Amino acid sequence: MLSNLVYDALWVTVKLATLTTLILMLVGLPLAWWLNASRSIMARVVESVITLPLILPPTVLGFYLLVAFSPDSFIGSQFSALTSRPLAFSFTGILLGSLLYSLPFVIGPLQSAFAQYDHRLSEMGRSLGYGRLQTFIRVTLPVCKHGIMSATLLCFAHTVGEFGVILMIGGNIPGETQVLSIAIFDAVEAMDYDAAHRMSLGLFVFAIITLTFINILKGGGQKHAGH
Amino acid sequence: MLVINCMLARGEQRQRYEINTGKVHSVGITGASGCGKTSLIRILAGFEPRAVGRVEVAGRCLQDSQQGVFVPPEDRRAGVVCQDSCLFPHLNVLKNISFGNKQANPALLSELISVLELENLLTRKPHLLSGGEQRRVAIARAIYSEPDFLLFDEPLTGIDMRLKKKILDYLRRLQQSGVSLVYVSHISDELNILCETQVCVEQTSISASTSALLECGIS
């Protein structure tokens, strides 16, 4: 039987990954569309900043976030004033960290889906009587659906696998900020190899299934490109 | 029908269109390939908001950069068939055709399916169609949206003679019912059957510079 600690960690992980994915898809769709369409230097700068977590050690990002979230900092003090709770070592804190850390994993697949998209389809949609937004919803999104689903899965899976940033800013509090990857680290430290095995195997199988889905979608996406 | 006086910059090339067709209902556009026939269709469809000048179709001003007028594509009521069909890859043939008509018109739908011989293709996705079949679907989609004017860019390429004749007959009847037509083709038979007047788009170099001037005259 799984212990309460594992259940708590599983719940925090699923909650964190779901919220991160939902928020990032809402932010990522317009952002990736803009990055793909814009030729401005500003867009390239934003793109570089978004991509930083791909090459930056998670501890570096985690350290800066920890500094930014501290009660002495502007962000940390404003959050405490509004909610009367500290931002560091809270679920909101690890959610903000996850949003930054997983953003490139959403933007990447979305940008490549939009880059393959044939913009004449949008022109055709508009000449058939639909406005810009309606055409985006009725034509662009369904044509790019494989890229969008890839981005969703990759974001969820990547958030589930997050370790360094959460360890730095989460403080490993069971039921609040302790996710599965950190619970495994804890179990190994405590030499509870049974629990470590169960959680590791679960995450391993989850990762294999997710990647298989993403690869199936990639194949479908290439067949489906609007060219 | 067409009163156009505008300039379109594409990279270093500038294309100028000066057309006044007078009161007709159908205009054929000819000219060598690469001379700007497709760009003209794109301007009329509203796909080139950066075109400078004035564009009028059937007495309605669609674009006037001096007065800041630009009617967006969705409000132009144009039925466009572009050279490579541009069917929506995520929709089957029937859904592609019905896309542009928000109120179903079953009589028109079955008429188009029968004229364009699409009965056996309705459930197929566009990537399973040949080039000629895709063009037939694109023609049906454009007409089914019940537009005020049709913009056809080489729509009958890859369609066999028998069916071509049938489609040309249908387009003639459609014209008689009041739909205006701008028809790009380099096949004079098609233009002679359909068009009251023809515009030849010519590319003439005005100087040693990289810019080019396109002059359009009515024949």
Side-chain angles (χ1 to χ4, degrees), chain A residues 120 123-124 126 129-130, chain B residues 42 74 84 99 102 141:
Chain A
R120 290 174 312 168
E123 292 177 342
M124 208 44 78
R126 291 189 66 191
Y130 291 95
Chain B
R42 290 180 54 80
E74 59 269 30
D84 37 11
F99 187 89
K102 290 161 195 165
R141 179 177 67 178

Side-chain angles (χ1 to χ4, degrees), chain B:
Chain B
M1 177 194 161
L2 297 181
V3 183
I4 300 170
N5 189 345
C6 77
M7 175 95 83
L8 179 66
R10 308 205 98 188
E12 290 191 335
Q13 206 186 26
R14 283 181 302 150
Q15 298 174 334
R16 203 177 92 197
Y17 298 93
E18 280 178 54
I19 300 171
N20 188 343
T21 61
K23 282 194 176 169
V24 291
H25 287 106
S26 51
V27 181
I29 311 282
T30 60
S33 45
C35 71
K37 302 188 293 290
T38 296
S39 295
L40 179 58
I41 291 287
R42 290 180 54 80
I43 291 171
L44 290 167
F47 301 159
E48 298 290 353
R50 284 173 301 176
V52 179
R54 189 176 164 88
V55 177
E56 222 177 86
V57 177
R60 181 176 170 220
C61 174
L62 297 178
Q63 203 160 334
D64 189 328
S65 49
Q66 265 189 336
Q67 292 179 19
V69 176
F70 180 78
V71 178
E74 59 269 30
D75 296 331
R76 294 199 175 197
R77 300 192 50 80
V80 185
V81 174
C82 62
Q83 265 183 54
D84 37 11
S85 307
C86 289
L87 298 180
F88 302 121
H90 62 298
L91 300 177
N92 67 20
V93 167
L94 182 62
K95 286 182 177 160
N96 258 287
I97 298 173
S98 330
F99 187 89
N101 200 330
K102 290 161 195 165
Q103 285 104 37
N105 183 343
L108 179 61
L109 186 63
S110 54
E111 183 177 280
L112 286 166
I113 290 170
S114 145
V115 170
L116 293 152
E117 300 184 5
L118 299 170
E119 295 87 349
N120 299 326
L121 307 177
L122 294 176
T123 54
R124 282 204 213 161
K125 287 281 182 75
H127 69 275
L128 297 171
L129 303 177
S130 72
E133 287 170 337
Q134 290 189 6
R135 266 179 214 101
R136 275 147 59 194
V137 178
I139 294 171
R141 179 177 67 178
I143 298 172
Y144 189 61
S145 67
E146 301 188 65
D148 290 342
F149 59 103
L150 293 167
L151 300 171
F152 279 16
D153 193 355
E154 315 238 15
L156 300 182
T157 315
I159 297 176
D160 67 73
M161 280 309 291
R162 181 193 61 81
L163 196 52
K164 200 182 263 195
K165 195 177 165 306
K166 195 172 163 191
I167 297 171
L168 286 170
D169 283 346
Y170 181 73
L171 289 177
R172 261 182 80 90
R173 274 189 280 137
L174 208 63
Q175 261 174 265
Q176 282 157 6
S177 70
V179 181
S180 306
L181 174 71
V182 179
Y183 194 96
V184 172
S185 178
H186 48 253
I187 298 168
S188 50
D189 283 354
E190 290 176 22
L191 295 169
N192 291 339
I193 291 173
L194 287 175
C195 305
E196 291 167 76
T197 185
Q198 292 180 25
V199 173
C200 181
V201 180
E202 287 169 352
Q203 188 162 14
T204 44
S205 204
I206 46 168
S207 68
S209 74
T210 49
S211 68
L213 175 73
L214 285 168
E215 282 183 340
C216 310
I218 307 163
S219 65

Side-chain angles (χ1 to χ4, degrees), chain A residues 11-38:
Chain A
W11 167 238
V12 173
T13 307
V14 170
K15 190 167 75 163
L16 180 70
T18 308
L19 282 173
T20 303
T21 308
L22 277 176
I23 296 169
L24 281 188
M25 288 315 289
L26 286 176
V27 175
L29 280 169
L31 187 58
W33 183 259
W34 173 68
L35 287 175
N36 187 54
S38 174

